[in-house]
Short mmCIF file of all heavy atoms in Angstrom, two decimals:
data_model
loop_
_atom_site.label_atom_id
_atom_site.label_comp_id
_atom_site.label_asym_id
_atom_site.label_seq_id
_atom_site.Cartn_x
_atom_site.Cartn_y
_atom_site.Cartn_z
N GLU A 1 1.50 -20.24 12.19
CA GLU A 1 1.23 -21.34 11.14
C GLU A 1 0.29 -20.82 10.06
O GLU A 1 0.09 -21.49 9.06
CB GLU A 1 0.70 -22.56 11.87
CG GLU A 1 -0.58 -22.43 12.66
CD GLU A 1 -0.25 -22.14 14.14
OE1 GLU A 1 0.86 -21.58 14.41
OE2 GLU A 1 -1.22 -22.48 14.98
N MET A 2 -0.29 -19.71 10.26
CA MET A 2 -1.20 -19.08 9.23
C MET A 2 -0.38 -18.17 8.31
O MET A 2 -1.03 -17.53 7.36
CB MET A 2 -2.23 -18.25 9.82
CG MET A 2 -3.08 -19.04 10.87
SD MET A 2 -4.01 -20.45 10.11
CE MET A 2 -4.98 -21.00 11.52
N GLY A 3 0.97 -18.14 8.47
CA GLY A 3 1.72 -17.14 7.65
C GLY A 3 1.63 -15.77 8.34
O GLY A 3 1.62 -15.69 9.62
N GLU A 4 1.55 -14.75 7.59
CA GLU A 4 1.50 -13.39 8.21
C GLU A 4 0.19 -12.75 7.92
O GLU A 4 -0.11 -12.26 6.92
CB GLU A 4 2.61 -12.49 7.56
CG GLU A 4 2.66 -11.12 8.23
CD GLU A 4 3.64 -10.18 7.45
OE1 GLU A 4 4.52 -10.68 6.74
OE2 GLU A 4 3.45 -9.00 7.66
N THR A 5 -0.62 -12.86 8.98
CA THR A 5 -2.07 -12.18 8.88
C THR A 5 -1.86 -10.73 9.30
O THR A 5 -1.29 -10.45 10.30
CB THR A 5 -3.09 -12.91 9.78
OG1 THR A 5 -3.26 -14.21 9.24
CG2 THR A 5 -4.35 -12.07 9.84
N ARG A 6 -2.31 -9.82 8.46
CA ARG A 6 -2.19 -8.36 8.62
C ARG A 6 -3.51 -7.64 9.05
O ARG A 6 -3.41 -6.76 9.74
CB ARG A 6 -1.58 -7.74 7.41
CG ARG A 6 -0.19 -8.21 7.07
CD ARG A 6 0.31 -7.87 5.70
NE ARG A 6 1.70 -8.33 5.48
CZ ARG A 6 2.28 -8.20 4.28
NH1 ARG A 6 1.65 -7.62 3.21
NH2 ARG A 6 3.50 -8.65 4.12
N ALA A 7 -4.63 -8.33 8.59
CA ALA A 7 -5.96 -7.66 8.88
C ALA A 7 -7.07 -8.71 8.92
O ALA A 7 -7.05 -9.59 8.03
CB ALA A 7 -6.21 -6.56 7.94
N VAL A 8 -7.91 -8.61 9.87
CA VAL A 8 -9.19 -9.46 9.84
C VAL A 8 -10.29 -8.66 10.21
O VAL A 8 -10.21 -7.85 11.12
CB VAL A 8 -9.00 -10.59 10.86
CG1 VAL A 8 -10.33 -11.42 10.91
CG2 VAL A 8 -7.96 -11.65 10.39
N ILE A 9 -11.39 -8.71 9.47
CA ILE A 9 -12.64 -8.12 9.79
C ILE A 9 -13.70 -9.15 9.62
O ILE A 9 -13.79 -9.90 8.63
CB ILE A 9 -12.96 -6.87 8.88
CG1 ILE A 9 -12.03 -5.76 9.13
CG2 ILE A 9 -14.36 -6.44 8.98
CD1 ILE A 9 -12.20 -4.42 8.31
N VAL A 10 -14.63 -9.15 10.56
CA VAL A 10 -15.89 -10.10 10.51
C VAL A 10 -17.02 -9.19 10.65
O VAL A 10 -17.17 -8.32 11.52
CB VAL A 10 -15.94 -11.07 11.67
CG1 VAL A 10 -17.15 -11.96 11.59
CG2 VAL A 10 -14.62 -12.01 11.69
N MET A 11 -17.96 -9.21 9.60
CA MET A 11 -19.17 -8.43 9.65
C MET A 11 -20.41 -9.47 9.72
O MET A 11 -20.42 -10.41 9.02
CB MET A 11 -19.33 -7.59 8.43
CG MET A 11 -18.23 -6.54 8.31
SD MET A 11 -18.58 -5.28 7.01
CE MET A 11 -19.98 -4.34 7.66
N LYS A 12 -21.35 -9.06 10.59
CA LYS A 12 -22.54 -9.89 10.75
C LYS A 12 -23.76 -8.89 10.48
O LYS A 12 -23.86 -7.90 11.25
CB LYS A 12 -22.53 -10.51 12.14
CG LYS A 12 -23.96 -11.15 12.55
CD LYS A 12 -24.18 -12.39 11.67
CE LYS A 12 -25.49 -13.03 12.18
NZ LYS A 12 -25.92 -14.19 11.33
N ASN A 13 -24.57 -9.25 9.55
CA ASN A 13 -25.67 -8.43 9.23
C ASN A 13 -25.43 -7.03 9.07
O ASN A 13 -26.07 -6.10 9.54
CB ASN A 13 -26.79 -8.62 10.28
CG ASN A 13 -27.40 -10.03 10.28
OD1 ASN A 13 -27.36 -10.77 9.27
ND2 ASN A 13 -27.84 -10.50 11.46
N GLY A 14 -24.31 -6.74 8.30
CA GLY A 14 -23.84 -5.41 8.06
C GLY A 14 -23.16 -4.61 9.10
O GLY A 14 -22.83 -3.42 8.94
N ARG A 15 -22.82 -5.23 10.18
CA ARG A 15 -22.16 -4.55 11.31
C ARG A 15 -20.80 -5.27 11.54
O ARG A 15 -20.70 -6.49 11.61
CB ARG A 15 -23.04 -4.64 12.55
CG ARG A 15 -22.39 -3.99 13.78
CD ARG A 15 -23.49 -4.02 14.93
NE ARG A 15 -23.73 -5.35 15.41
CZ ARG A 15 -23.31 -5.84 16.60
NH1 ARG A 15 -22.58 -5.09 17.43
NH2 ARG A 15 -23.64 -7.11 16.98
N ILE A 16 -19.72 -4.46 11.80
CA ILE A 16 -18.45 -4.95 12.06
C ILE A 16 -18.48 -5.53 13.58
O ILE A 16 -18.77 -4.79 14.45
CB ILE A 16 -17.34 -3.99 11.94
CG1 ILE A 16 -17.10 -3.54 10.52
CG2 ILE A 16 -16.05 -4.47 12.56
CD1 ILE A 16 -16.05 -2.52 10.23
N VAL A 17 -18.29 -6.76 13.73
CA VAL A 17 -18.33 -7.39 15.05
C VAL A 17 -16.93 -7.81 15.49
O VAL A 17 -16.75 -8.11 16.65
CB VAL A 17 -19.19 -8.67 15.00
CG1 VAL A 17 -20.67 -8.21 14.80
CG2 VAL A 17 -18.85 -9.77 14.06
N ALA A 18 -15.98 -7.86 14.61
CA ALA A 18 -14.55 -8.11 14.96
C ALA A 18 -13.59 -7.43 13.95
O ALA A 18 -13.95 -7.48 12.83
CB ALA A 18 -14.28 -9.61 14.97
N GLU A 19 -12.62 -6.84 14.46
CA GLU A 19 -11.68 -6.14 13.56
C GLU A 19 -10.30 -6.05 14.28
O GLU A 19 -10.20 -5.68 15.42
CB GLU A 19 -12.08 -4.69 13.29
CG GLU A 19 -11.14 -3.96 12.38
CD GLU A 19 -11.67 -2.55 12.07
OE1 GLU A 19 -12.61 -2.00 12.75
OE2 GLU A 19 -11.21 -2.03 11.01
N ARG A 20 -9.26 -6.65 13.58
CA ARG A 20 -8.01 -6.68 14.27
C ARG A 20 -6.90 -6.52 13.19
O ARG A 20 -7.00 -7.03 12.07
CB ARG A 20 -7.81 -8.02 14.97
CG ARG A 20 -6.40 -8.16 15.77
CD ARG A 20 -6.47 -9.40 16.59
NE ARG A 20 -5.14 -9.59 17.08
CZ ARG A 20 -4.79 -10.71 17.81
NH1 ARG A 20 -5.64 -11.61 18.11
NH2 ARG A 20 -3.58 -10.96 18.26
N TYR A 21 -5.75 -5.90 13.56
CA TYR A 21 -4.68 -5.64 12.68
C TYR A 21 -3.40 -6.08 13.34
O TYR A 21 -3.16 -6.04 14.53
CB TYR A 21 -4.61 -4.16 12.31
CG TYR A 21 -5.76 -3.64 11.58
CD1 TYR A 21 -6.86 -3.05 12.29
CD2 TYR A 21 -5.82 -3.74 10.26
CE1 TYR A 21 -7.91 -2.59 11.68
CE2 TYR A 21 -6.97 -3.21 9.50
CZ TYR A 21 -8.02 -2.75 10.26
OH TYR A 21 -9.10 -2.24 9.54
N ALA A 22 -2.41 -6.58 12.54
CA ALA A 22 -1.04 -6.78 13.00
C ALA A 22 -0.39 -5.52 13.25
O ALA A 22 -0.79 -4.48 12.75
CB ALA A 22 -0.34 -7.76 12.00
N GLU A 23 0.77 -5.65 13.99
CA GLU A 23 1.54 -4.42 14.23
C GLU A 23 1.99 -3.83 12.96
O GLU A 23 2.47 -4.54 12.08
CB GLU A 23 2.75 -4.83 15.13
CG GLU A 23 3.63 -3.58 15.57
CD GLU A 23 4.73 -3.97 16.49
OE1 GLU A 23 4.72 -5.15 16.91
OE2 GLU A 23 5.48 -3.10 16.82
N GLY A 24 1.90 -2.49 12.88
CA GLY A 24 2.35 -1.77 11.62
C GLY A 24 1.28 -1.58 10.60
O GLY A 24 1.44 -1.03 9.53
N TYR A 25 0.00 -2.19 10.82
CA TYR A 25 -1.14 -1.96 9.93
C TYR A 25 -2.25 -1.51 10.76
O TYR A 25 -2.37 -1.60 11.96
CB TYR A 25 -1.47 -3.26 9.34
CG TYR A 25 -0.36 -3.91 8.57
CD1 TYR A 25 0.56 -4.87 9.18
CD2 TYR A 25 -0.10 -3.54 7.21
CE1 TYR A 25 1.66 -5.45 8.53
CE2 TYR A 25 0.97 -4.21 6.51
CZ TYR A 25 1.87 -5.07 7.11
OH TYR A 25 2.93 -5.55 6.45
N HIS A 26 -3.21 -0.72 9.96
CA HIS A 26 -4.33 -0.17 10.69
C HIS A 26 -5.47 0.02 9.73
O HIS A 26 -5.38 -0.39 8.52
CB HIS A 26 -3.96 1.14 11.36
CG HIS A 26 -3.19 2.10 10.49
ND1 HIS A 26 -3.82 2.76 9.46
CD2 HIS A 26 -1.86 2.38 10.38
CE1 HIS A 26 -2.92 3.47 8.83
NE2 HIS A 26 -1.74 3.20 9.31
N GLU A 27 -6.48 0.66 10.22
CA GLU A 27 -7.79 0.83 9.39
C GLU A 27 -7.62 1.66 8.17
O GLU A 27 -8.43 1.67 7.25
CB GLU A 27 -8.98 1.33 10.31
CG GLU A 27 -8.75 2.73 10.75
CD GLU A 27 -7.99 2.74 12.15
OE1 GLU A 27 -7.43 1.71 12.49
OE2 GLU A 27 -8.10 3.83 12.78
N ASN A 28 -6.46 2.44 8.09
CA ASN A 28 -6.22 3.21 6.95
C ASN A 28 -5.16 2.68 5.94
O ASN A 28 -4.82 3.36 5.01
CB ASN A 28 -5.80 4.67 7.37
CG ASN A 28 -7.03 5.44 8.07
OD1 ASN A 28 -8.12 5.35 7.69
ND2 ASN A 28 -6.66 6.12 9.11
N THR A 29 -4.73 1.52 6.23
CA THR A 29 -3.69 0.87 5.37
C THR A 29 -4.39 0.31 4.20
O THR A 29 -5.39 -0.37 4.30
CB THR A 29 -3.00 -0.25 6.23
OG1 THR A 29 -2.34 0.18 7.30
CG2 THR A 29 -1.92 -0.96 5.33
N ARG A 30 -3.90 0.63 2.95
CA ARG A 30 -4.36 -0.04 1.83
C ARG A 30 -3.67 -1.36 1.59
O ARG A 30 -2.37 -1.44 1.67
CB ARG A 30 -4.13 0.90 0.57
CG ARG A 30 -5.08 2.10 0.40
CD ARG A 30 -4.88 2.74 -0.96
NE ARG A 30 -5.85 3.74 -1.25
CZ ARG A 30 -5.51 5.08 -1.10
NH1 ARG A 30 -4.20 5.49 -0.86
NH2 ARG A 30 -6.42 5.95 -1.47
N PHE A 31 -4.43 -2.34 1.39
CA PHE A 31 -3.90 -3.69 1.04
C PHE A 31 -4.10 -4.00 -0.39
O PHE A 31 -5.12 -3.73 -1.06
CB PHE A 31 -4.59 -4.70 1.93
CG PHE A 31 -4.38 -4.53 3.45
CD1 PHE A 31 -5.25 -3.73 4.14
CD2 PHE A 31 -3.35 -5.09 4.02
CE1 PHE A 31 -5.07 -3.52 5.44
CE2 PHE A 31 -3.08 -4.96 5.41
CZ PHE A 31 -3.94 -4.11 6.10
N VAL A 32 -3.11 -4.87 -0.99
CA VAL A 32 -3.21 -5.19 -2.35
C VAL A 32 -4.23 -6.27 -2.57
O VAL A 32 -4.29 -7.24 -1.68
CB VAL A 32 -1.79 -5.57 -2.92
CG1 VAL A 32 -1.20 -6.81 -2.22
CG2 VAL A 32 -1.88 -5.81 -4.44
N SER A 33 -4.94 -6.22 -3.63
CA SER A 33 -5.98 -7.24 -3.88
C SER A 33 -5.48 -8.58 -4.27
O SER A 33 -5.99 -9.66 -4.00
CB SER A 33 -6.96 -6.66 -4.88
OG SER A 33 -6.34 -6.57 -6.16
N TRP A 34 -4.38 -8.52 -5.11
CA TRP A 34 -4.03 -9.65 -6.08
C TRP A 34 -5.38 -10.06 -6.69
O TRP A 34 -6.15 -9.18 -7.24
CB TRP A 34 -3.34 -10.75 -5.26
CG TRP A 34 -1.94 -10.37 -4.79
CD1 TRP A 34 -1.48 -10.28 -3.59
CD2 TRP A 34 -0.84 -9.97 -5.65
NE1 TRP A 34 -0.13 -9.80 -3.49
CE2 TRP A 34 0.27 -9.67 -4.76
CE3 TRP A 34 -0.64 -9.79 -7.04
CZ2 TRP A 34 1.49 -9.19 -5.23
CZ3 TRP A 34 0.57 -9.34 -7.51
CH2 TRP A 34 1.60 -9.07 -6.64
#
C-alpha cells in the first residue's frame, strides 16, 4: 500500500540505526532525486 519502496535509511544523532533495500537495490545504487 506504500507503492514501491526501494530504500529506507534512518539516522539518529549522525549514526545509521536502520537501513533496508528492496530486492534489486543496494547501498551502491544511485537513486534519482526528482
